[in-house]
Amino acid sequence: NYRYQLSYKENFIACSPRLSVIIPSGNKNKGLGSGSWGLQANLPFSKRWTNHFINHFNIGTTYLFRVKQNEINFDKSLVSYFVGLSSIWLINEKFNLMLECLTNINANPDLNNKINYTNQTVIAPAFRYAIDIKKLQIVPGISVPLTFSKNTKTEVGGFFYLSFEHEF
């Protein structure tokens, strides 16, 4: 992928557009990918409102070239969309509360060689805590994502995050 730091100003908005190439590396027969090349474009914005509150906004699209599914005679390109928002409350230097929301509008092939769109929304409350050990910062985090989709039961999950931040 390629990401460009379009803008960043102290106390203003940061923007880093990204373009990624999707390579068909998974086995589509096992449900691990579409078997198609594609492109994904993402337009993220970040805004620090105060010393303790930050928002991140994302909007983007994914284009898959000629998705083939022989068992249902499907051979078309698919375009999906997404939009996300995250809010971070910096309680103190080490402890942060977060709330993230992501909505996906996914293109799916159907049995009649048409494209159906499904909406899925994930809301994920979370927290993270920084542990400093000399010049290394270890940041564990925990989230409980709630997934909502039409005609399906709400799913509750768990997500553990662990990052090792080295000084450069």
Side-chain angles (χ1 to χ4, degrees):
N1 69 51
Y2 175 75
R3 191 177 89 171
Y4 177 72
Q5 187 67 45
L6 180 64
S7 71
Y8 175 76
K9 292 183 181 178
E10 192 73 28
N11 298 321
F12 195 64
I13 293 178
C15 180
S16 301
R18 175 180 55 83
L19 182 64
S20 299
V21 175
I22 299 169
I23 300 169
S25 59
N27 185 336
K28 74 175 186 172
N29 296 327
K30 292 183 179 179
L32 302 172
S34 65
S36 173
W37 288 84
L39 293 172
Q40 185 178 72
N42 187 22
L43 189 58
F45 297 93
S46 294
K47 171 68 175 160
R48 184 175 202 127
W49 301 96
T50 69
N51 286 338
H52 297 283
F53 192 73
I54 301 168
N55 279 123
H56 302 291
F57 307 91
N58 285 288
I59 188 166
T61 187
T62 303
Y63 186 92
L64 297 174
F65 301 97
R66 298 202 57 193
V67 174
K68 295 179 184 180
Q69 291 193 359
N70 296 332
E71 60 275 1
I72 61 171
N73 197 28
F74 186 87
D75 185 3
K76 292 183 180 181
S77 296
L78 297 177
V79 182
S80 298
Y81 308 93
F82 58 90
V83 62
L85 166 69
S86 68
S87 297
I88 302 171
W89 180 16
L90 308 168
I91 302 290
N92 59 44
E93 189 176 288
K94 297 187 183 280
F95 183 68
N96 305 154
L97 291 178
M98 299 173 290
L99 181 62
E100 298 179 327
C101 180
L102 174 68
T103 295
N104 292 302
I105 301 169
N106 297 314
N108 302 297
D110 77 2
L111 296 173
N112 298 319
N113 200 28
K114 293 187 179 180
I115 300 171
N116 286 329
Y117 288 90
T118 57
N119 295 351
Q120 181 185 59
T121 299
V122 180
I123 297 175
F127 72 88
R128 64 183 175 201
Y129 185 80
I131 303 164
D132 294 322
I133 302 174
K134 296 182 182 179
K135 293 186 177 187
L136 173 68
Q137 187 176 67
I138 302 171
V139 185
I142 296 175
S143 176
V144 180
L146 305 166
T147 304
F148 305 92
S149 187
K150 186 178 179 181
N151 299 328
T152 61
K153 186 178 175 182
T154 299
E155 296 177 21
V156 179
F159 182 78
F160 177 73
Y161 167 88
L162 184 62
S163 175
F164 296 89
E165 306 294 332
H166 299 275
E167 185 179 273
F168 290 100

